[in-house]
Amino acid sequence: MTGHAGPSLKENLKDAGAMALASAALALPLVGFLTVDRAQTIVLEYRFGELLYAVAVIFVGRLLLLLANQGHSPAVLVATGAFSVLWAANAFLGIVAITWPALGWLTWIVFSVIALRAWFFMYQAGRRVKQDASDVAERAGTVIYRLGKYLGPALAAFALVMPLMPFADQRMVDLGILVLTYIMLGWGLNVVVGLAGLLDLGYVAFYAVGAYSYAIISLNWGLNFWETLPLAGAMAATFGILLGFPVLRLRGDYLAIVTLGFGEMIRLILLNWDELTNGPKGMGGIARPSFFGMPFTAAPPEGVTAVHQFFGLNFAPIHRVIWLYYIILAMALLTNWFTLRIRQLPIGRAWEALREDEIACRALGINPTNTKLTAFAIGAMFGGFAGSFFATRQGFISPESFNFLESAIILAVVVLGGMGSQIGVVVASVVLIGGPEWFRDLEAYRMVAFGALMVAIMVWRPQGLLAHREPTIHLRGRQPAPAVAARAPAR
Amino acid sequence: MNQAPLLRVEHLTMRFGGLVAIDDVSFDAGDREITAIIGPNGAGKTTVFNCLTGFYKPTIGRLALHKAGGREFLLERMEGYRIGQTARVARTFQNIRLFPRMSVLENLLVAQHNRLMRASGYTLFGLFGLPVYRQAEAHAVDVARYWLDRIGLTPRADEDAGNMPYGDQRRLEIARAMCTEPILLCLDEPAAGLNARESAELNEMLRFIRDEHKIGVLLIEHDMSVVMKISDHVVVLDYGRKISDGTPEFVRKDPAVIRAYLGEDEDEALPPEVAADLGSRG
């Protein structure tokens, strides 16, 4: 790459200048002006300092990218990498005060991406093979898949011991619960979208059905968590089938629109059916899970032993959080086991075959309606389980928790992770749910960073982070039967 | 013998609005025979297939399939997937329809779905890995291996079907159809896009299927070298109507077929100014 004479410095500067100018024009109204509500009048404030800063970052970034492209990758890598490391170290150790932390973090992200890019160029040049990017991405996917064999158990082991680690405070365990809930929802939706290829934009409806079933059953009949859980799951599965029957004849975009409508319908019913759901006020006082019948309360009623008394500990609210964490971990792992197992069964293969070609499936004598319905029902059931957990964890539910944004986030977890990939869902949940929590320093720019991340993934890995698909069965390593006679078909 | 033929098509008519795609076509396809349906483009051959395999409901007509043992299925009354499941008619497609992102072996296992579903107790036994299911799966893999050996894809069984060369995909699709254990195999232009050697291999395979597996084969084909070499019986369609029916030798010499393929007496058929134009050039 270094051999031929690249564009001169002047040309590079011109290119970067043009880029900076264009972004300045775009950013002027977005970043440059800020309306502030002050004493009943709206005042316009100017943020030209920030604007100038952003444009400067774009100019320098573009220049560095161009240089990296033209064979100066090592220098660019060293410069941007050093900046990123130093800045991050400063941010955590607090040596030099930072005026604009949000902008600083954005700059850090930009420079880190450029550093990655430069490394990528070096990697390509080092291989001395001209490969197109998708091939490299596919290879990277394969490598990650191989690591995935160890990554899965490693993550599971980490998840098992995480709440017991010294660094695990209540906030951390709570975040863990949130991430695990989305992992479970992602795995449930993965059955529908990733395996069966049915684009479901209303998955949150089943989450809501599960949560409300749990709340209504436990409030009216006083059943405990473990008794109610299967009922709520069955309820959600029933709704999955009810929805499935009329709409599964539709395909692709049409199915997506109908499921989107179904999600909204459920939310509106929950909002308006006051007698059953208490409408927009929501349902409170939902039973918390107990530890084998023992409550997690500081002062248990007469004759009841609380958990901290049983173990001889001092009461701490984190005990319940940890117990909730293990419940959702167990539920998520069960979902994972079930999905991995069912993928290798005829029904799972039929789902994937339906995703690939429905017409061919029909010609092979597979009943497409039943097959899709099972996928829908099983996906809905896991959504219902997760919903029950949500209800018992919050103790309060209202229709607001089940809006379209939730469906979109769950779908984003599946798509970004790589459709059909179990470990991909884990990685994507950690990034998408955990990430915004870690990037709290970015303040209002948090969602910008989130969006930038999504765009970056879609540009570099449009098929998802871990899209590698491993066959469900291998011929290699299987012994042929001693005598496979030519068989005439049974008639 | 006065036995009913494997497939008897009677007065099959298919209309799409005002367009008559097939007009009162009747023919038989025999057991252990290769029956070819030929005809110029747009003659309605694929429409016949789509009626037979339940993708279209015929406007008029009776499609009777006779199984050994005397059972009769009226295909025009059956739901699409049941034709494959119960009546055991399998088909391939003009534009190959494999499951491209599943492995070759998985393609062949999906074809054995219904048997495996029963063996897995509709998933319940399979979930807990009961021996009943494991045996059924091993058997299904053996069936798949048998066909893989036949089409020479055993070494590549674990690769994605979409990565196979074109000719292999064609044969894999036939093997997949055979894994459903059909009694009638319908092939929609299996030789399309194959070179001479692949075409010869295909002929070999179709003969093998007819002779060893003792089933009926129904074939749509443009490639006359395939049709004339291996068919036992040829049906010729033109503009939705049957114009000839008989052995390859008979059809080859039938004036109606020659007219359909080569056109009528050209001077009469062409408008006068076009004929004059052609004449002045010649």
Side-chain angles (χ1 to χ4, degrees):
Chain A
M1 266 184 199
T2 40
H4 63 89
S8 67
L9 185 66
K10 198 177 147 198
E11 279 169 30
N12 282 341
L13 282 175
K14 220 165 131 188
D15 186 324
M19 190 68 92
L21 211 62
S23 51
L26 277 175
L28 180 66
L30 291 174
V31 180
F33 303 129
L34 182 71
T35 51
V36 186
D37 189 359
R38 194 171 293 148
Q40 288 160 0
T41 52
I42 289 181
V43 184
L44 202 59
E45 279 191 358
Y46 303 101
R47 297 193 293 187
F48 292 134
E50 280 97 328
L51 180 66
L52 208 64
Y53 178 81
V55 170
V57 168
I58 288 168
F59 179 78
V60 175
R62 176 71 186 173
L63 202 59
L64 286 173
L65 264 185
L66 286 171
L67 288 175
N69 243 334
Q70 291 153 13
H72 304 290
S73 312
V76 173
L77 177 63
V78 169
T80 50
F83 172 86
S84 293
V85 170
L86 283 179
W87 205 93
N90 182 35
F92 284 116
L93 302 176
I95 303 164
V96 184
I98 300 159
T99 336
W100 295 323
L103 284 180
W105 274 113
L106 278 182
T107 319
W108 179 79
I109 291 174
V110 168
F111 277 64
S112 301
V113 168
I114 294 174
L116 270 178
R117 192 82 187 141
W119 171 79
F120 184 69
F121 282 132
M122 282 169 68
Y123 170 80
Q124 266 186 326
R127 292 186 68 85
R128 293 191 192 287
V129 190
K130 274 223 160 182
Q131 291 165 319
D132 57 312
S134 66
D135 188 31
V136 172
E138 180 57 40
R139 236 167 238 258
T142 316
V143 169
I144 296 172
Y145 172 78
R146 291 223 187 90
L147 284 178
K149 275 187 195 152
Y150 309 100
L151 189 64
L155 282 176
F158 174 75
L160 264 176
V161 296
M162 197 278 274
L164 310 175
M165 299 301 244
F167 62 81
D169 53 0
Q170 187 156 346
R171 179 167 166 248
M172 188 84 184
V173 181
D174 257 329
L175 185 60
I177 292 176
L178 195 67
V179 170
L180 278 170
T181 311
Y182 278 96
I183 289 175
M184 179 162 174
L185 285 168
W187 278 340
L189 186 62
N190 210 1
V191 170
V192 183
V193 178
L195 295 185
L198 306 166
L199 184 53
D200 184 354
L201 292 182
Y203 191 63
V204 77
F206 307 121
Y207 190 41
V209 168
Y212 269 88
S213 304
Y214 178 77
I216 291 165
I217 293 170
S218 82
L219 285 177
N220 290 339
W221 289 293
L223 299 183
N224 70 28
F225 178 73
W226 299 109
E227 289 161 349
T228 320
L229 189 67
L231 293 177
M235 197 72 182
T238 311
F239 269 77
I241 292 171
L242 277 181
L243 168 69
F245 257 120
V247 308
L248 284 182
R249 289 172 196 284
L250 305 175
R251 287 185 207 177
D253 306 352
Y254 304 101
L255 179 70
I257 291 167
V258 175
T259 50
L260 177 69
F262 181 75
E264 279 303 284
M265 255 162 59
I266 292 283
R267 193 177 62 85
L268 288 176
I269 291 172
L270 295 177
L271 204 56
N272 290 296
W273 195 353
D274 264 347
E275 303 84 64
L276 189 70
T277 66
N278 206 19
K281 293 190 289 295
M283 303 180 81
I286 301 165
R288 295 315 192 76
S290 55
F291 186 77
F292 300 105
M294 290 178 282
F296 289 91
T297 40
E302 203 60 38
V304 177
T305 321
V307 173
H308 66 279
Q309 292 165 333
F310 182 78
F311 285 107
L313 299 165
N314 287 325
F315 174 78
I318 197 175
H319 294 158
R320 170 159 57 207
V321 181
I322 290 176
W323 175 232
L324 280 170
Y325 176 90
Y326 280 115
I327 291 178
I328 187 68
L329 181 63
M331 280 164 56
L333 287 178
L334 185 74
T335 312
N336 184 36
W337 173 81
F338 187 87
T339 314
L340 288 179
R341 189 94 198 133
I342 207 161
R343 246 197 91 206
Q344 302 176 337
L345 292 177
I347 184 74
R349 277 189 215 116
W351 288 341
E352 291 198 77
L354 265 183
R355 177 192 69 200
E356 297 290 299
D357 196 324
E358 184 174 341
I359 289 176
C361 278
R362 266 211 293 170
L364 294 173
I366 295 171
N367 182 340
T369 316
N370 282 359
T371 310
K372 283 185 193 173
L373 272 182
T374 48
F376 232 64
I378 286 172
M381 181 180 76
F382 287 127
F385 287 155
S388 308
F389 175 79
F390 177 78
T392 194
R393 176 195 168 210
Q394 301 288 102
F396 169 81
I397 51 172
S398 74
E400 277 165 52
S401 311
F402 308 105
N403 53 24
F404 172 67
L405 188 65
E406 288 296 308
S407 285
I409 290 176
I410 303 165
L411 191 65
V413 163
V414 174
V415 172
L416 290 187
M419 300 238 263
S421 161
Q422 293 292 94
I423 197 86
V425 166
V426 176
V427 175
S429 303
V430 170
V431 171
L432 289 192
I433 310 302
E437 294 297 318
W438 291 324
F439 282 123
R440 284 243 174 247
D441 266 355
L442 283 176
E443 298 160 25
Y445 294 97
R446 201 155 65 110
M447 283 335 243
V448 176
F450 183 79
L453 188 70
M454 295 246 267
V455 170
I457 293 175
M458 285 295 110
V459 168
W460 282 317
R461 276 193 75 72
Q463 67 278 60
L465 288 170
L466 302 168
H468 182 83
R469 180 184 180 278
E470 190 69 4
T472 57
I473 186 166
H474 290 269
L475 193 66
R476 195 165 304 131
R478 272 178 174 261
Q479 291 303 313
V484 189
R487 294 154 334 100
R491 290 203 217 169
Chain B
M1 280 211 293
N2 199 12
Q3 212 189 350
L6 178 63
L7 174 75
R8 170 158 278 173
V9 175
E10 289 172 298
H11 306 294
L12 177 65
T13 301
M14 182 77 216
R15 291 198 200 102
F16 298 101
L19 176 81
V20 183
I22 313 173
D23 187 8
D24 197 24
V25 169
S26 303
F27 65 91
D28 289 346
D31 201 5
R32 305 185 197 182
E33 269 186 4
I34 297 179
T35 305
I37 303 179
I38 64 171
N41 279 328
K45 304 180 297 281
T46 300
T47 311
V48 171
F49 262 37
N50 283 341
C51 289
L52 276 174
T53 48
F55 286 90
Y56 297 151
K57 286 268 169 272
T59 319
I60 305 172
R62 204 174 111 104
L63 310 165
L65 186 80
H66 303 278
K67 273 197 184 180
R71 280 189 76 188
E72 188 188 60
F73 293 95
L74 296 178
L75 301 182
E76 78 277 8
R77 296 188 191 166
M78 297 174 78
E79 212 180 315
Y81 74 93
R82 294 215 142 254
I83 291 174
Q85 194 179 51
T86 322
R88 301 234 162 142
V89 177
R91 75 169 287 181
T92 65
F93 295 85
Q94 202 169 342
N95 42 347
I96 304 171
R97 284 185 173 275
L98 289 169
F99 306 123
R101 281 180 301 165
M102 298 175 79
S103 75
V104 170
L105 178 62
E106 284 174 312
N107 266 270
L108 298 182
L109 290 184
V110 169
Q112 305 178 54
H113 175 78
N114 289 310
R115 204 154 10 94
L116 284 173
M117 263 318 250
R118 277 192 298 280
S120 73
Y122 298 92
T123 303
L124 207 60
F125 302 165
L127 212 50
F128 300 103
L130 295 194
V132 138
Y133 172 68
R134 268 184 284 151
Q135 279 162 16
E137 193 188 58
H139 176 71
V141 172
D142 285 339
V143 171
R145 190 196 298 272
Y146 165 81
W147 282 107
L148 286 172
D149 287 343
R150 187 115 285 279
I151 61 175
L153 277 184
T154 314
R156 304 188 69 180
D158 295 331
E159 291 178 47
D160 280 0
N163 293 346
M164 297 297 119
Y166 185 82
D168 285 344
Q169 292 199 13
R170 281 254 172 238
R171 279 182 299 158
L172 177 58
E173 204 190 8
I174 298 174
R176 189 181 66 177
M178 284 307 294
C179 278
T180 65
E181 301 194 336
I183 61 169
L184 176 65
L185 178 66
C186 304
L187 305 172
D188 197 345
E189 296 198 20
L194 299 188
N195 60 31
R197 187 178 53 80
E198 290 171 325
S199 218
E201 284 172 1
L202 177 76
N203 289 355
E204 191 48 46
M205 183 170 177
L206 294 185
R207 279 204 200 96
F208 169 82
I209 287 172
R210 175 191 60 190
D211 299 338
E212 298 296 316
H213 287 262
K214 302 181 173 61
I215 67 171
V217 178
L218 195 61
L219 180 73
I220 292 180
E221 194 46 77
H222 275 302
D223 188 339
M224 286 303 148
S225 70
V226 175
V227 172
M228 293 301 160
K229 264 186 219 147
I230 64 167
S231 316
D232 302 299
H233 172 197
V234 179
V235 176
V236 189
L237 299 184
D238 190 24
Y239 291 110
R241 254 175 253 128
K242 185 170 88 170
I243 57 171
S244 186
D245 187 343
T247 61
E249 292 71 34
F250 171 78
V251 166
R252 200 204 302 258
K253 291 179 189 130
D254 190 338
V257 178
I258 296 169
R259 215 177 308 130
Y261 271 87
L262 300 177
E264 313 227 1
D265 199 350
E266 279 183 28
D267 297 333
E268 282 172 36
L270 293 170
E273 64 273 18
V274 178
D277 188 32
L278 281 175
S280 68
R281 262 199 232 164

